Amino acid sequence: MKKFFEEFKKFALRGNVIDLAVGVIIGGAFTAIVNGVSNDFIKPLLAWIMGAKPEEILIGEAQWSWGLAASDFVSTIINFVITALVLFLIIKFFNKVSGIGKKPAAPAAPTTKKCPYCLSEIPIEATKCAHCTSELK
Ligand SMILES: [Zn+2]
C-alpha cells in the first residue's frame, strides 16, 4: 500500500498531470460562464424575439428580470474567480512539495569575459583580444 502511494505521488507531482488537471478544471469553469451568458441573456432574448410572453421567460423557476440575470451572471463570474484562486493555491502547494529535496542547478562557470577596450566577448583565458588586438593582463 505504501508503494502504491509512492507511485501515486510520483505520478501526481509530474508537471504535465497538474497542467492537464488545471486545463480541465479551468475549462469546466469557463464553460459555466459561457452557459451563464447563454441562459441569462441569449436564451431570454431569443424567446422574447420569438414572441414569448414576459411571464413565460424564466431563469430557473423565477421570471426573468435584469436584476436576476445580472446577479446570476455575477455569481457565475465569482464562482470562476474562486475556482481559479483555489486552483492557484493548490498548484502553489504542489510546486512547493515537489520542489522539496531538489537542489537548484548551480550556475555554469563563465567561459567568456569582456574585453575592457572594445567590450567584445572573448574567451576567459585570452591574453590578447581577438577583436581589437589589445594586450590583456
Ligand atoms: Zn577588444
Side-chain angles (χ1 to χ4, degrees), residues 80-97:
F80 179 80
V81 171
I82 292 172
T83 304
L85 190 70
V86 169
L87 209 56
F88 171 72
L89 292 175
I90 291 171
I91 298 302
K92 221 168 132 74
F93 172 75
F94 265 107
N95 283 344
K96 213 172 171 185
V97 170

Side-chain angles (χ1 to χ4, degrees), residues 9-111:
K9 199 179 147 196
K10 244 189 201 166
F11 166 79
L13 290 182
R14 255 189 275 161
N16 50 358
V17 173
I18 293 169
D19 287 347
L20 186 67
V22 169
V24 169
I25 294 169
I26 290 287
F30 189 72
T31 302
I33 290 184
V34 174
N35 284 341
V37 172
S38 174
N39 287 330
D40 297 339
F41 299 105
I42 296 174
K43 272 188 196 166
L45 181 69
L46 282 177
W48 180 70
I49 289 170
M50 302 293 181
K53 293 180 195 128
E55 62 268 23
E56 289 171 346
I57 302 172
L58 305 175
I59 293 180
E61 307 268 291
Q63 191 189 327
W64 188 91
S65 69
W66 279 111
L68 197 60
S71 62
D72 211 47
F73 183 65
V74 168
S75 78
T76 306
I77 299 280
I78 291 172
N79 282 351
F80 179 80
V81 171
I82 292 172
T83 304
L85 190 70
V86 169
L87 209 56
F88 171 72
L89 292 175
I90 291 171
I91 298 302
K92 221 168 132 74
F93 172 75
F94 265 107
N95 283 344
K96 213 172 171 185
V97 170
S98 62
I100 290 171
K102 274 187 202 159
K103 282 182 201 157
T111 57

Side-chain angles (χ1 to χ4, degrees), residues 115-120 122 129-134 136:
C115 167
Y117 302 102
C118 68
L119 301 178
S120 303
I122 52 173
C129 176
H131 300 278
C132 67
T133 68
S134 301
L136 305 169

